[in-house]
Amino acid sequence: QVQLVESGGGLVQAGGSLRLSCVASGSIFRLNAMGWYRQAPGKQREFVATVGSGGTTTYGDSVKGRFTISRDNAKNTAYLQMNSLKPEDTAVYYCNVKYQRSSLFEYDHWGQGTQVTVSS
């Protein structure tokens, strides 16, 4: 009943920038936290950033000062602006949302992921 569509991934040179988008649709009463995680081959999925419904942001240590997460509540969309990209940022980036279909329970959902590749 909930779909997440990620876009904006691709190939970029080190030092460049990329902007990811995550659009949530379906049966959503309220979107709570929206966030981004990433996973490189052979590695555990890593926390990147989250933004709460009120705009409070949290970042993983590896991306602080370089990445910025934001959201447009009217569009049910989260963004991840990635600047000063490094080869170690190469990974599949996954959008995650915590949402409610009603006033009772909170659900957690993941997108399919979008590939980000940073060349040296």
Side-chain angles (χ1 to χ4, degrees):
Q1 291 186 315
V2 174
Q3 297 82 41
L4 299 178
V5 179
E6 299 126 315
S7 62
L11 176 65
V12 65
Q13 289 185 304
S17 298
L18 214 56
R19 190 194 194 207
L20 306 183
S21 298
C22 174
V23 181
S25 62
S27 183
I28 302 173
F29 172 72
R30 180 184 295 123
L31 271 177
N32 297 326
M34 305 185 74
W36 292 92
Y37 296 72
R38 66 188 184 185
Q39 188 167 23
K43 295 185 177 180
Q44 189 175 352
R45 188 167 295 187
E46 177 189 19
F47 168 74
V48 176
T50 58
V51 56
S53 60
T56 301
T57 58
T58 305
Y59 296 94
D61 290 339
S62 62
V63 305
K64 287 181 179 178
R66 300 188 298 119
F67 291 9
T68 302
I69 189 171
S70 61
R71 64 190 287 169
D72 186 334
N73 290 329
K75 298 180 179 179
N76 283 351
T77 301
Y79 305 95
L80 184 68
Q81 179 66 47
M82 304 183 293
N83 298 325
S84 301
L85 283 163
K86 305 174 181 179
E88 50 262 45
D89 294 319
T90 296
V92 177
Y93 283 70
Y94 296 92
C95 180
N96 173 263
V97 298
K98 299 183 185 298
Y99 73 100
Q100 296 170 249
R101 297 194 294 112
S102 69
S103 300
L104 298 179
F105 303 106
E106 184 177 75
Y107 295 82
D108 196 322
H109 191 72
W110 294 87
Q112 295 288 343
T114 183
Q115 177 71 48
V116 172
T117 302
V118 184
S119 62
S120 59

